[in-house]
Amino acid sequence: MGRIFGKDGMRAIAVTDLTCELAMQIGRAAAAVLASHKGDKPRILIGKDVRNSSDTIEAAVCAGICSAGVDAELLGEVPTPLLAWYIRECKASGGIMITASPINSEYNGIKIFSSYGYRLGEDREDEIERLILDNPEKIKPVKLKEYGRVLHNLTAIDEYISHIKKFAPDNLDGFKVAIDCANGCTGLTAEQIFSGLGAEILITGNSPDGFNINTSGSTHIESLMNFVVENECTCGIAFDGAGERCMAVDEQGNLIDGDVIIAACAREMKSEGRLRHNTIIVSQANNLGLIQFAKASEIATASAPTGERGMIRRMIECGYSIGGDPSGHIVFPDDMPTADGQLTGIRLLEILKKTGETLSEISCLIKKSPQVMFSIPIDRRFREVWKNDRAITGLIEDFEGILGDEGRVVVREAGKEPAIRIRIEGKDFSTINTMALQIADTIKERLELK
């Protein structure tokens, strides 16, 4: 894991830890790396979410880019998928999104995208880190009068809305859909995208004040669950503050997570001959129920690393057409270069229209396996050490053998955080809970943790 960037970009407490100085350095180093891969006049697009610190960080990133002799084109407040898609549309050198995605407004972050609209690879992020932390002198001063310019784009949102609406079903007459925008960026686009479909659309979570991002939406969906029942809606759709994730609520007020949405979409794509290689991409985060659904439906599964970057890379390399995780981070690479919550919502409504099923009926596609999860904080000096301890790894192997095909044991270290995460799935909650506790106790004992 990088010294600045993690699996999902750089995140930290805004301005305090993600300082203006660091943001400027990231912008400057990113410009040097991205511009070196393009022959034309380099131009980097900048998007931001609606949290109160985004303006400050945007100004710092912009200064860094321009100081490296690269133009900075500001898109303003936009969903993250819009930036990723628009980079490729307008043939920019790359893009930087200022967002902390699904977490609260105290934090902010930076995601960097390539000229193809994909998350920047780890090798190029490492190159940016080296320019910031080890070799800043390698970024040569630009010549007099060759500084970058600040450009303002006023059409990106309209172009994005037109693009997403291409995938919308023709007529949703009789549908009543509640949409929770998480007080985030989809509040700028969702009403225009969904209101023209013939359904009655009720928008909630659309009063951003810079501080309330992600206080509702996919990460806090309880209010939408109540709203759907109280207003007798066909369903509810919830996004995160950056517009990447999509979760749903059925007509009875029950949560429909990403695994169910993936299953529904994969079933539909298979029936239409659009599920390339008859395969869906999954990771350790997906519930075993999704894998069992795929097996019963004669659909193959292919594994990818946890996190969007690894999943998209695997999909591109192998030509797969859908993948995602339980949080609603779902990728349709034929249509968008990154996960797009609004596109996912469109796909789900299209399935409801075509099949005539209710969302509660669709939820029966998957029988979820019980899960137990623990996180054990560790000292940084013990990182990776536990993997070579036979008392720990042997116990994990024993439990994997006991569970067989009806369960799964996942023990891994968390991103940049010094912690070991344990997740066990199986048919019987009591059994897997005992297993998880035993693994946790063994790790604590072997690493001499309190």
Side-chain angles (χ1 to χ4, degrees):
M1 198 57 56
R3 293 173 287 173
I4 294 176
F5 298 101
K7 285 185 177 180
D8 199 26
M10 191 274 177
R11 289 181 188 166
I13 295 177
V15 183
T16 300
D17 295 326
L18 174 50
T19 63
C20 293
E21 290 80 7
L22 178 56
M24 185 278 292
Q25 291 170 334
I26 292 174
R28 184 168 171 256
V33 170
L34 292 171
S36 67
H37 294 261
K38 296 286 283 186
D40 301 329
K41 171 64 176 174
R43 175 172 52 107
I44 294 175
L45 308 186
I46 303 177
K48 60 184 175 182
D49 70 19
V50 299
R51 64 192 72 218
N52 66 310
S53 60
S54 291
D55 288 349
T56 301
I57 297 171
E58 176 193 54
V61 169
C62 185
I65 291 172
C66 292
S67 71
V70 175
D71 290 346
E73 184 170 331
L74 308 185
L75 304 187
E77 295 174 341
V78 295
T80 298
L82 182 156
L83 172 74
W85 170 77
Y86 202 67
I87 291 167
R88 191 161 58 184
E89 283 296 296
C90 66
K91 299 179 181 178
S93 304
I96 294 177
M97 185 69 195
I98 299 163
T99 181
S101 294
I103 57 179
N104 65 43
S105 64
E106 181 183 6
Y107 292 81
N108 215 324
I110 291 174
K111 294 183 180 183
I112 305 178
F113 294 84
S114 73
S115 59
Y116 296 99
Y118 301 126
R119 281 286 309 284
L120 208 61
E122 291 182 5
D123 55 340
R124 296 177 74 187
E125 281 190 352
D126 289 343
E127 189 178 351
I128 291 171
E129 288 182 347
R130 286 193 296 271
L131 288 174
I132 295 170
L133 301 174
D134 304 324
N135 307 112
E137 75 282 353
K138 288 189 176 181
I139 304 178
K140 302 300 181 183
V142 297
K143 297 178 182 179
L144 188 64
K145 298 182 181 180
E146 290 187 6
Y147 309 114
R149 300 172 301 157
V150 177
L151 311 173
H152 296 270
N153 186 298
L154 302 177
T155 65
I157 280 188
D158 291 337
E159 293 178 53
Y160 167 78
I161 290 171
S162 296
H163 176 68
I164 295 299
K165 289 180 76 170
K166 292 177 184 176
F167 307 105
D170 294 334
N171 195 322
L172 292 177
D173 283 348
F175 279 55
K176 187 176 184 180
V177 182
I179 296 178
D180 190 335
C181 297
N183 293 307
C185 293
T186 56
L188 304 168
T189 55
E191 188 167 4
Q192 293 184 66
I193 289 173
F194 291 91
S195 61
L197 306 182
E200 181 182 353
I201 302 297
L202 306 178
I203 303 287
T204 69
N206 192 25
S207 301
D209 61 10
F211 298 93
N212 61 356
I213 189 170
N214 293 314
T215 54
S216 65
S218 65
T219 54
H220 292 86
I221 203 166
E222 299 83 6
S223 60
L224 182 62
M225 295 165 75
N226 294 327
F227 186 89
V228 166
V229 174
E230 291 169 1
N231 291 275
E232 299 181 343
C233 295
T234 307
C235 65
I237 295 174
F239 309 120
D240 71 323
E244 298 168 293
R245 292 164 174 78
C246 175
M247 300 278 264
V249 174
D250 71 17
E251 74 282 1
Q252 299 172 10
N254 299 312
L255 172 66
I256 305 297
D257 71 6
D259 283 333
V260 175
I261 297 173
I262 293 167
C265 291
R267 182 189 65 171
E268 189 68 18
M269 294 168 75
K270 178 182 173 71
S271 71
E272 297 177 349
R274 296 188 293 111
L275 186 64
R276 285 201 304 276
H277 306 302
N278 193 41
T279 300
I280 58 176
I281 286 283
V282 297
S283 71
Q284 292 179 341
N286 295 96
N287 190 276
L288 189 60
L290 176 61
I291 297 170
Q292 292 170 339
F293 154 81
K295 184 177 181 180
S297 303
E298 299 183 338
I299 295 174
T301 58
S303 61
T306 303
E308 181 191 28
R309 176 162 51 196
M311 179 167 287
I312 290 178
R313 176 172 293 180
R314 181 100 159 94
M315 295 177 81
I316 295 168
E317 290 173 348
C318 301
Y320 299 127
S321 50
I322 184 174
D325 64 30
S327 73
H329 210 265
I330 301 171
V331 183
F332 300 93
D334 292 343
D335 306 320
M336 291 292 288
T338 188
D340 188 318
Q342 292 176 108
L343 174 61
T344 301
I346 288 286
R347 295 289 194 207
L348 188 58
L349 293 176
E350 181 182 36
I351 290 169
L352 293 178
K353 177 66 177 180
K354 284 184 176 180
T355 64
E357 296 173 304
T358 64
L359 201 47
S360 61
E361 291 171 334
I362 287 176
S363 71
C364 296
L365 286 172
I366 287 182
K367 184 178 180 181
K368 289 295 186 70
S369 297
Q371 290 184 337
V372 174
M373 291 181 282
F374 292 123
S375 182
I376 305 172
I378 61 172
D379 191 285
R380 291 186 182 276
R381 63 194 172 95
F382 289 128
R383 298 202 75 157
E384 304 296 326
V385 172
W386 63 275
K387 294 180 179 179
N388 298 314
D389 190 314
R390 281 302 298 168
I392 298 172
T393 58
L395 184 62
I396 293 170
E397 290 170 2
D398 288 344
F399 289 159
E400 287 175 332
I402 292 170
L403 293 172
D405 293 336
E406 296 183 347
R408 182 167 55 172
V409 181
V410 178
V411 182
R412 65 181 181 87
E413 289 190 20
K416 296 178 72 175
E417 175 189 355
I420 297 173
R421 291 182 179 165
I422 302 167
R423 181 164 57 85
I424 304 184
E425 295 177 67
K427 283 189 172 182
D428 181 67
F429 177 82
S430 178
T431 299
I432 62 174
N433 189 55
T434 300
M435 288 178 172
L437 287 170
Q438 192 170 342
I439 293 173
D441 289 342
T442 302
I443 290 172
K444 291 176 183 178
E445 178 185 343
R446 300 296 293 181
L447 298 185
E448 300 180 353
L449 302 174
K450 294 182 179 180

mmCIF file of all heavy atoms in Angstrom, residues 53-80:
data_model
loop_
_atom_site.group_PDB
_atom_site.id
_atom_site.type_symbol
_atom_site.label_atom_id
_atom_site.label_comp_id
_atom_site.label_asym_id
_atom_site.label_seq_id
_atom_site.Cartn_x
_atom_site.Cartn_y
_atom_site.Cartn_z
ATOM 1 N N SER A 53 -15.110 21.576 2.411
ATOM 2 C CA SER A 53 -13.670 21.762 2.215
ATOM 3 C C SER A 53 -13.235 21.639 0.768
ATOM 4 O O SER A 53 -12.063 21.883 0.450
ATOM 5 C CB SER A 53 -12.902 20.726 3.051
ATOM 6 O OG SER A 53 -13.264 19.411 2.655
ATOM 7 N N SER A 54 -14.146 21.269 -0.125
ATOM 8 C CA SER A 54 -13.741 20.965 -1.504
ATOM 9 C C SER A 54 -13.206 22.184 -2.246
ATOM 10 O O SER A 54 -12.275 22.071 -3.049
ATOM 11 C CB SER A 54 -14.911 20.336 -2.272
ATOM 12 O OG SER A 54 -15.206 19.051 -1.784
ATOM 13 N N ASP A 55 -13.785 23.372 -1.994
ATOM 14 C CA ASP A 55 -13.301 24.577 -2.680
ATOM 15 C C ASP A 55 -11.843 24.852 -2.329
ATOM 16 O O ASP A 55 -11.028 25.199 -3.195
ATOM 17 C CB ASP A 55 -14.151 25.790 -2.297
ATOM 18 C CG ASP A 55 -15.543 25.756 -2.906
ATOM 19 O OD1 ASP A 55 -15.789 24.908 -3.786
ATOM 20 O OD2 ASP A 55 -16.378 26.581 -2.500
ATOM 21 N N THR A 56 -11.515 24.719 -1.049
ATOM 22 C CA THR A 56 -10.152 24.991 -0.590
ATOM 23 C C THR A 56 -9.160 24.037 -1.229
ATOM 24 O O THR A 56 -8.099 24.448 -1.723
ATOM 25 C CB THR A 56 -10.086 24.862 0.948
ATOM 26 O OG1 THR A 56 -10.996 25.783 1.531
ATOM 27 C CG2 THR A 56 -8.690 25.138 1.466
ATOM 28 N N ILE A 57 -9.495 22.757 -1.220
ATOM 29 C CA ILE A 57 -8.581 21.756 -1.774
ATOM 30 C C ILE A 57 -8.495 21.879 -3.291
ATOM 31 O O ILE A 57 -7.424 21.707 -3.882
ATOM 32 C CB ILE A 57 -9.006 20.349 -1.335
ATOM 33 C CG1 ILE A 57 -8.898 20.243 0.190
ATOM 34 C CG2 ILE A 57 -8.160 19.275 -2.006
ATOM 35 C CD1 ILE A 57 -9.488 18.997 0.784
ATOM 36 N N GLU A 58 -9.600 22.216 -3.916
ATOM 37 C CA GLU A 58 -9.592 22.430 -5.365
ATOM 38 C C GLU A 58 -8.610 23.540 -5.739
ATOM 39 O O GLU A 58 -7.831 23.400 -6.702
ATOM 40 C CB GLU A 58 -10.987 22.799 -5.850
ATOM 41 C CG GLU A 58 -11.049 23.128 -7.341
ATOM 42 C CD GLU A 58 -12.357 23.788 -7.729
ATOM 43 O OE1 GLU A 58 -12.715 24.813 -7.100
ATOM 44 O OE2 GLU A 58 -13.012 23.309 -8.659
ATOM 45 N N ALA A 59 -8.627 24.633 -4.994
ATOM 46 C CA ALA A 59 -7.730 25.754 -5.300
ATOM 47 C C ALA A 59 -6.269 25.329 -5.190
ATOM 48 O O ALA A 59 -5.433 25.704 -6.027
ATOM 49 C CB ALA A 59 -8.025 26.920 -4.357
ATOM 50 N N ALA A 60 -5.968 24.517 -4.169
ATOM 51 C CA ALA A 60 -4.594 24.073 -3.981
ATOM 52 C C ALA A 60 -4.162 23.108 -5.090
ATOM 53 O O ALA A 60 -3.053 23.218 -5.634
ATOM 54 C CB ALA A 60 -4.455 23.412 -2.613
ATOM 55 N N VAL A 61 -5.027 22.157 -5.433
ATOM 56 C CA VAL A 61 -4.719 21.205 -6.510
ATOM 57 C C VAL A 61 -4.529 21.953 -7.828
ATOM 58 O O VAL A 61 -3.594 21.681 -8.594
ATOM 59 C CB VAL A 61 -5.839 20.157 -6.639
ATOM 60 C CG1 VAL A 61 -5.675 19.344 -7.912
ATOM 61 C CG2 VAL A 61 -5.853 19.237 -5.426
ATOM 62 N N CYS A 62 -5.408 22.904 -8.064
ATOM 63 C CA CYS A 62 -5.345 23.690 -9.294
ATOM 64 C C CYS A 62 -4.020 24.457 -9.392
ATOM 65 O O CYS A 62 -3.385 24.493 -10.445
ATOM 66 C CB CYS A 62 -6.529 24.648 -9.336
ATOM 67 S SG CYS A 62 -6.688 25.590 -10.857
ATOM 68 N N ALA A 63 -3.586 25.043 -8.280
ATOM 69 C CA ALA A 63 -2.309 25.773 -8.264
ATOM 70 C C ALA A 63 -1.151 24.850 -8.588
ATOM 71 O O ALA A 63 -0.227 25.221 -9.336
ATOM 72 C CB ALA A 63 -2.110 26.424 -6.890
ATOM 73 N N GLY A 64 -1.191 23.629 -8.035
ATOM 74 C CA GLY A 64 -0.122 22.685 -8.319
ATOM 75 C C GLY A 64 -0.072 22.290 -9.781
ATOM 76 O O GLY A 64 0.998 22.222 -10.389
ATOM 77 N N ILE A 65 -1.236 22.046 -10.373
ATOM 78 C CA ILE A 65 -1.295 21.662 -11.787
ATOM 79 C C ILE A 65 -0.758 22.775 -12.674
ATOM 80 O O ILE A 65 0.083 22.549 -13.558
ATOM 81 C CB ILE A 65 -2.746 21.309 -12.173
ATOM 82 C CG1 ILE A 65 -3.181 20.014 -11.494
ATOM 83 C CG2 ILE A 65 -2.891 21.182 -13.693
ATOM 84 C CD1 ILE A 65 -4.648 19.696 -11.654
ATOM 85 N N CYS A 66 -1.232 23.975 -12.452
ATOM 86 C CA CYS A 66 -0.820 25.096 -13.302
ATOM 87 C C CYS A 66 0.659 25.430 -13.127
ATOM 88 O O CYS A 66 1.332 25.845 -14.076
ATOM 89 C CB CYS A 66 -1.674 26.328 -12.993
ATOM 90 S SG CYS A 66 -3.403 26.159 -13.474
ATOM 91 N N SER A 67 1.181 25.225 -11.914
ATOM 92 C CA SER A 67 2.606 25.512 -11.690
ATOM 93 C C SER A 67 3.508 24.551 -12.440
ATOM 94 O O SER A 67 4.684 24.818 -12.649
ATOM 95 C CB SER A 67 2.925 25.453 -10.193
ATOM 96 O OG SER A 67 2.888 24.122 -9.718
ATOM 97 N N ALA A 68 2.935 23.402 -12.858
ATOM 98 C CA ALA A 68 3.701 22.436 -13.639
ATOM 99 C C ALA A 68 3.538 22.660 -15.143
ATOM 100 O O ALA A 68 3.983 21.835 -15.942
ATOM 101 C CB ALA A 68 3.261 21.022 -13.272
ATOM 102 N N GLY A 69 2.871 23.764 -15.521
ATOM 103 C CA GLY A 69 2.717 24.087 -16.930
ATOM 104 C C GLY A 69 1.589 23.358 -17.614
ATOM 105 O O GLY A 69 1.552 23.250 -18.841
ATOM 106 N N VAL A 70 0.627 22.876 -16.831
ATOM 107 C CA VAL A 70 -0.502 22.110 -17.368
ATOM 108 C C VAL A 70 -1.783 22.889 -17.113
ATOM 109 O O VAL A 70 -1.949 23.504 -16.060
ATOM 110 C CB VAL A 70 -0.568 20.719 -16.704
ATOM 111 C CG1 VAL A 70 -1.795 19.950 -17.163
ATOM 112 C CG2 VAL A 70 0.709 19.927 -17.002
ATOM 113 N N ASP A 71 -2.701 22.870 -18.062
ATOM 114 C CA ASP A 71 -3.989 23.537 -17.882
ATOM 115 C C ASP A 71 -4.877 22.732 -16.938
ATOM 116 O O ASP A 71 -4.916 21.497 -16.998
ATOM 117 C CB ASP A 71 -4.713 23.698 -19.219
ATOM 118 C CG ASP A 71 -4.046 24.720 -20.127
ATOM 119 O OD1 ASP A 71 -3.198 25.490 -19.633
ATOM 120 O OD2 ASP A 71 -4.379 24.746 -21.333
ATOM 121 N N ALA A 72 -5.605 23.445 -16.084
ATOM 122 C CA ALA A 72 -6.572 22.828 -15.181
ATOM 123 C C ALA A 72 -7.963 23.245 -15.614
ATOM 124 O O ALA A 72 -8.286 24.436 -15.633
ATOM 125 C CB ALA A 72 -6.303 23.258 -13.743
ATOM 126 N N GLU A 73 -8.790 22.269 -15.995
ATOM 127 C CA GLU A 73 -10.157 22.557 -16.432
ATOM 128 C C GLU A 73 -11.128 22.165 -15.319
ATOM 129 O O GLU A 73 -11.256 20.998 -14.976
ATOM 130 C CB GLU A 73 -10.490 21.806 -17.713
ATOM 131 C CG GLU A 73 -11.870 22.142 -18.260
ATOM 132 C CD GLU A 73 -12.101 21.598 -19.648
ATOM 133 O OE1 GLU A 73 -11.124 21.454 -20.414
ATOM 134 O OE2 GLU A 73 -13.277 21.317 -19.982
ATOM 135 N N LEU A 74 -11.799 23.155 -14.752
ATOM 136 C CA LEU A 74 -12.665 22.941 -13.608
ATOM 137 C C LEU A 74 -14.079 22.586 -14.063
ATOM 138 O O LEU A 74 -14.715 23.348 -14.790
ATOM 139 C CB LEU A 74 -12.700 24.189 -12.731
ATOM 140 C CG LEU A 74 -11.338 24.770 -12.302
ATOM 141 C CD1 LEU A 74 -11.549 25.924 -11.338
ATOM 142 C CD2 LEU A 74 -10.465 23.692 -11.666
ATOM 143 N N LEU A 75 -14.562 21.421 -13.599
ATOM 144 C CA LEU A 75 -15.925 20.999 -13.910
ATOM 145 C C LEU A 75 -16.901 21.425 -12.826
ATOM 146 O O LEU A 75 -18.112 21.359 -13.027
ATOM 147 C CB LEU A 75 -15.990 19.478 -14.078
ATOM 148 C CG LEU A 75 -15.055 18.838 -15.106
ATOM 149 C CD1 LEU A 75 -15.383 17.354 -15.247
ATOM 150 C CD2 LEU A 75 -15.135 19.534 -16.445
ATOM 151 N N GLY A 76 -16.376 21.848 -11.677
ATOM 152 C CA GLY A 76 -17.232 22.235 -10.562
ATOM 153 C C GLY A 76 -17.696 21.022 -9.779
ATOM 154 O O GLY A 76 -17.035 19.983 -9.742
ATOM 155 N N GLU A 77 -18.855 21.160 -9.124
ATOM 156 C CA GLU A 77 -19.415 20.080 -8.319
ATOM 157 C C GLU A 77 -20.098 19.068 -9.236
ATOM 158 O O GLU A 77 -21.093 19.376 -9.899
ATOM 159 C CB GLU A 77 -20.405 20.647 -7.306
ATOM 160 C CG GLU A 77 -19.725 21.546 -6.275
ATOM 161 C CD GLU A 77 -20.717 22.234 -5.364
ATOM 162 O OE1 GLU A 77 -21.917 22.313 -5.734
ATOM 163 O OE2 GLU A 77 -20.314 22.700 -4.286
ATOM 164 N N VAL A 78 -19.551 17.860 -9.276
ATOM 165 C CA VAL A 78 -20.056 16.820 -10.177
ATOM 166 C C VAL A 78 -19.914 15.455 -9.514
ATOM 167 O O VAL A 78 -19.045 15.252 -8.660
ATOM 168 C CB VAL A 78 -19.294 16.804 -11.522
ATOM 169 C CG1 VAL A 78 -19.515 18.080 -12.307
ATOM 170 C CG2 VAL A 78 -17.793 16.562 -11.303
ATOM 171 N N PRO A 79 -20.751 14.486 -9.904
ATOM 172 C CA PRO A 79 -20.534 13.110 -9.444
ATOM 173 C C PRO A 79 -19.201 12.574 -9.968
ATOM 174 O O PRO A 79 -18.767 12.926 -11.072
ATOM 175 C CB PRO A 79 -21.710 12.336 -10.056
ATOM 176 C CG PRO A 79 -22.748 13.377 -10.368
ATOM 177 C CD PRO A 79 -21.983 14.620 -10.712
ATOM 178 N N THR A 80 -18.568 11.730 -9.192
ATOM 179 C CA THR A 80 -17.282 11.166 -9.609
ATOM 180 C C THR A 80 -17.356 10.449 -10.959
ATOM 181 O O THR A 80 -16.465 10.613 -11.806
ATOM 182 C CB THR A 80 -16.755 10.203 -8.528
ATOM 183 O OG1 THR A 80 -16.533 10.945 -7.323
ATOM 184 C CG2 THR A 80 -15.455 9.544 -8.957
#
